Amino acid sequence: MDSQVMPREQLGVCAEGNLHSVYLMFNAEDGIESQLRPCVANVAQYICELSDQYTDSAFNGFVAIGANYWDSLYPAKRPAQLRPFPAMNSDNRDAPAHEYDLFVHLRCDRFDILHLVANEVCQMFEGLVELVDEERGFQFMDNRDLTGFVDGTENPKGRHRQDVALVGDEDISFKAGSYVHVQKFAHNLSKWNRLPQKKQEDIIGRTKIDNIEYASDDKPLTSHIKRVNLKDENGNSMEILRQSMPYGSVKEQGLMFISNCRNSVNFEKMLHSMIHGDADGHHDHLMHFTQALTGSSFFAPSLDFMNDAAN
């Protein structure tokens, strides 16, 4: 592929926030890859076309293929950094791996459209895959997590979203694709809400009401922001594009954490910093109040890659 020609990205990868979301996790039946390849391309194209049809409600989405299923579906070539979810455990902090074959991420400002499209997608896949897990997310207050703190404050803005989230010329075959990591976190809100507000703020590293980040010297080394704001060996920020949303019911609720990035290293380093901490063992104290139930690794290819592979 000519490095000067930008393949068509899946629009949901870099989309701005929405009011509602639906997350569909599928596992494929055995031996149906030749049928599934064109179906995956059709679903991705369908989602793209609906972005135009439902532009007033900001519909968007993307399809991603699991790290452990990629070679079965697309045996000819593999994204350079696509690897299984990096399961980690330290003391009572657990980031388990729970892989799926396909992930369909749908978002919109109208829930009825999402419900309709989710059903359509499942019908398009009928006989080829099994729906293993489904969650429905929602915007909470003014883009806050259920802990009460604004989420995604560090997200890249504008065109920089594409720079962070989409593969470039470093892996030409997968240009305009994105590495996707998904974790379903269940919050212990009764335990969290018993904390004084100042203690909560120290754990996050910013104020709760007005969302002002602590000065660098004031951030505890165990604060969430300190643990995830990392720099590489050249001093550059290791950024990801977070597409996370709260999910759940009164019985179980938390955050569907979704990272999109042009590499898989940035997320892996952040997770290690949260679970294992720095050289002195300063881990993320937010992990005392939330539990990762799943951890999955995917790649969301460009529309052109999926269309070419389907033929």
Side-chain angles (χ1 to χ4, degrees):
M1 186 178 292
D2 186 347
S3 64
Q4 301 305 310
V5 178
M6 190 66 172
R8 295 173 302 149
E9 79 227 42
Q10 297 190 69
L11 298 177
V13 170
C14 295
E16 299 291 343
N18 290 91
L19 299 180
H20 307 283
S21 58
V22 172
Y23 309 104
L24 304 173
M25 302 287 187
F26 299 96
N27 282 340
E29 302 295 339
D30 293 333
I32 47 74
E33 285 74 26
S34 61
Q35 299 164 265
L36 188 56
R37 275 189 292 274
C39 188
V40 165
N42 288 341
V43 169
Q45 186 63 41
Y46 172 64
I47 291 171
C48 181
E49 290 168 0
L50 290 181
S51 298
D52 291 330
Q53 182 176 338
Y54 296 125
T55 184
D56 288 350
S57 50
F59 175 86
N60 65 85
F62 63 81
V63 180
I65 292 84
N68 289 355
Y69 188 60
W70 182 276
D71 292 346
S72 297
L73 192 62
Y74 301 122
K77 56 183 75 171
R78 183 181 179 90
Q81 293 189 17
L82 182 59
R83 41 188 174 254
F85 188 86
M88 298 180 194
N89 179 271
S90 181
D91 296 331
N92 60 347
R93 302 179 299 283
D94 193 21
H98 194 134
E99 303 287 7
Y100 302 93
D101 293 344
L102 293 175
F103 172 42
V104 177
H105 176 274
L106 303 171
R107 291 198 321 206
C108 191
D109 289 346
R110 281 180 53 183
F111 186 73
D112 55 340
I113 291 173
L114 275 184
H115 186 77
L116 179 72
V117 175
N119 277 303
E120 287 287 335
V121 167
C122 287
Q123 287 176 22
M124 293 173 77
F125 278 136
E126 193 169 6
L128 301 175
V129 301
E130 175 190 2
L131 180 62
V132 182
D133 194 18
E134 173 186 0
E135 287 296 348
R136 303 194 169 205
F138 54 91
Q139 186 183 100
F140 180 65
M141 311 303 282
D142 48 344
N143 291 312
R144 292 177 185 264
D145 178 49
L146 296 176
T147 57
F149 285 79
V150 175
D151 190 39
T153 305
E154 301 291 328
N155 256 355
K157 307 288 192 294
R159 285 294 304 173
H160 190 48
R161 295 166 81 85
Q162 278 85 350
D163 296 335
V164 170
L166 299 179
V167 174
D169 289 344
E170 67 271 18
D171 194 359
I172 290 294
S173 297
F174 297 100
K175 192 171 181 177
S178 187
Y179 293 92
V180 185
H181 291 91
V182 182
Q183 289 177 285
K184 183 197 295 186
F185 281 96
H187 294 344
N188 186 339
L189 290 177
S190 60
K191 182 180 177 184
W192 174 258
N193 290 330
R194 286 197 296 269
L195 291 178
Q197 182 172 308
K198 181 62 169 66
K199 180 67 173 173
Q200 292 181 354
E201 292 173 340
D202 289 347
I203 289 172
I204 300 296
R206 62 172 66 243
T207 60
K208 187 171 187 177
I209 305 302
D210 45 11
N211 190 35
I212 297 173
E213 186 170 333
Y214 281 20
S216 184
D217 290 345
D218 295 335
K219 279 181 207 149
L221 294 175
T222 54
S223 68
H224 179 63
I225 290 177
K226 197 76 170 179
R227 298 272 46 89
V228 299
N229 286 4
L230 306 179
K231 297 192 184 308
D232 64 19
E233 60 275 11
N234 298 316
N236 300 312
S237 292
M238 301 181 74
E239 295 181 273
I240 60 173
L241 176 57
R242 295 167 176 83
Q243 295 287 22
S244 313
M245 290 187 84
Y247 81 94
S249 60
V250 173
K251 186 174 182 181
E252 179 188 292
Q253 54 190 312
L255 185 73
M256 285 295 291
F257 175 84
I258 297 172
S259 163
N260 287 85
C261 191
R262 69 188 299 159
N263 62 57
S264 61
V265 173
N266 291 4
F267 168 79
E268 292 169 359
K269 295 281 190 186
M270 286 182 191
L271 187 63
H272 187 277
S273 177
M274 292 166 64
I275 300 295
H276 292 290
D278 58 20
D280 297 314
H282 296 114
H283 64 270
D284 186 348
H285 280 195
L286 183 58
M287 294 296 97
H288 300 172
F289 301 90
T290 189
Q291 173 64 52
L293 304 179
T294 67
S296 315
S297 176
F298 304 91
F299 189 80
S302 69
L303 291 169
D304 293 333
F305 176 90
M306 288 183 280
N307 286 334
D308 292 346
N311 298 321

